[in-house]
Amino acid sequence: MAILSQLIVYPIKSCAGITVPAARVERAGLSVDGVRDREWMLVDPAGRFLTQREHPRMALIVPRLIDGAVEVSAPGLAPFALTTALGAAATRQVTLWDDSVAALDCGDAAALWFSAALGAACRLVRLPPAPRQGSTRWTGGLANPVTFSDGYPLLLIGAASLADLNDKLAAAGRAPLPMDRFRPNLVVDGLAAFEEDYAASLSAGALRFKPVKPCPRCPIPSVDQRTGVPGPNPLDILQAYRAKPQLDGAICFGMNCLLTEGEGALLTVGAEVEVELSF
């Protein structure tokens, strides 16, 4: 029997994640004490979203959940508390990939703190209560509500898939990588390596998930999440066996998933996961 071994939420897109023992699962992703996964995002002065692709130091911006609120810390700065009440924040039009999104600007104090943490001018924005709608190209017609995630509400990786990669890295004389390099929401033990690629559905209690699209990888797995410093990129190893023809040869690791049943149910680490394969 497969077991859910990790749950990770990322309150601020592309900043550090928080490993939690339990989370509510909504259609748009995980929620802990009312704080949604990727509810906040940093943008440049033109409103374009920022990630570790261009700013690896974002890994050093570390959120912490305190009684339903979020406090962030970064090297050399005093902690900063995010205002979780929506209030009367100004609306700012921002760009995430090809999407133009009406987001809530979090104010000048937040902009100053995050600009100092990042070493570049930026502003913090927040998604309004209603999620945006992601692409349905890979969903078989299912709705795809998302927060500020790149395209899907949940990313699942099997622990054996990382072990397989680390075996190959070791054979090449390289150090193993921790799971946080790949920034999943759900980590499952007990699957065969890359079995998640072939799952028609996964169930945990009342919750049912549908994997819909392999996750193409970018340079972020090269960034050490504890130092914010890029190193060797594992894509040179993965490209030998993880290129997906259906994505024009993109190198993939992990599966993007939708929630299809059980919205609002609590998911806990240690939950048994039943897997229905697609063949």
Side-chain angles (χ1 to χ4, degrees):
M1 177 66 70
I3 298 292
L4 182 73
S5 59
Q6 289 185 63
L7 272 171
I8 308 101
V9 295
Y10 306 88
I12 307 168
K13 180 179 179 68
S14 217
C15 294
I18 305 172
T19 300
V20 295
R24 297 282 172 193
V25 188
E26 310 292 344
R27 297 279 180 181
L30 301 180
S31 173
V32 180
D33 294 335
V35 175
R36 294 178 289 172
D37 183 71
R38 296 173 172 92
E39 182 170 354
W40 285 270
M41 180 172 72
L42 294 177
V43 299
D44 67 15
R48 182 76 180 174
F49 78 113
L50 301 177
T51 74
Q52 289 185 37
R53 297 172 183 87
E54 310 84 17
H55 296 280
R57 283 182 54 84
M58 289 178 73
L60 303 182
I61 299 174
V62 179
R64 185 162 68 106
L65 300 177
I66 307 173
D67 298 327
V70 179
E71 181 182 85
V72 288
S73 61
L77 296 175
F80 183 82
L82 301 188
T83 301
T84 53
L86 291 173
T91 300
R92 174 181 292 267
Q93 207 69 23
V94 300
T95 305
L96 173 55
W97 296 115
D98 295 327
D99 287 350
S100 180
V101 182
L104 304 175
D105 188 281
C106 294
D108 291 343
L112 287 171
W113 191 93
F114 281 93
S115 295
L118 194 60
C122 64
R123 295 194 74 84
L124 181 71
V125 298
R126 186 181 184 187
L127 193 73
R132 63 191 184 95
Q133 295 301 312
S135 171
T136 57
R137 178 183 174 190
W138 291 84
T139 70
L142 295 173
N144 179 24
V146 289
T147 55
F148 284 135
S149 60
D150 277 355
Y152 297 87
L154 296 160
L155 177 62
L156 179 146
I157 298 177
S161 302
L162 180 62
D164 181 89
L165 170 60
N166 281 333
D167 286 345
K168 291 177 171 58
L169 289 170
R174 287 162 58 175
L177 298 178
M179 185 63 82
D180 64 7
R181 294 292 188 95
F182 297 93
R183 301 177 63 80
N185 298 111
L186 313 173
V187 180
V188 177
D189 279 344
L191 302 178
F194 303 108
E195 187 175 352
E196 60 268 26
D197 288 16
Y198 307 103
S201 67
L202 301 99
S203 301
L207 295 159
R208 190 174 181 87
F209 306 95
K210 180 177 177 60
V212 293
K213 183 187 179 186
C215 182
R217 306 314 308 207
C218 65
I220 289 179
S222 69
V223 178
D224 187 324
Q225 296 297 297
R226 287 158 180 77
T227 66
V229 176
N233 195 327
L235 296 189
D236 64 342
I237 299 293
L238 288 168
Q239 69 182 354
Y241 69 116
R242 293 298 300 166
K244 293 287 187 178
Q246 65 267 46
L247 276 81
D248 298 323
I251 300 164
C252 297
F253 193 89
M255 288 295 293
N256 291 297
C257 299
L258 303 182
L259 177 71
T260 58
E261 295 179 23
E263 183 173 20
L266 188 69
L267 181 61
T268 59
V269 170
E272 294 185 350
V273 178
E274 296 183 8
V275 181
E276 179 185 341
L277 295 177
S278 57
F279 53 83

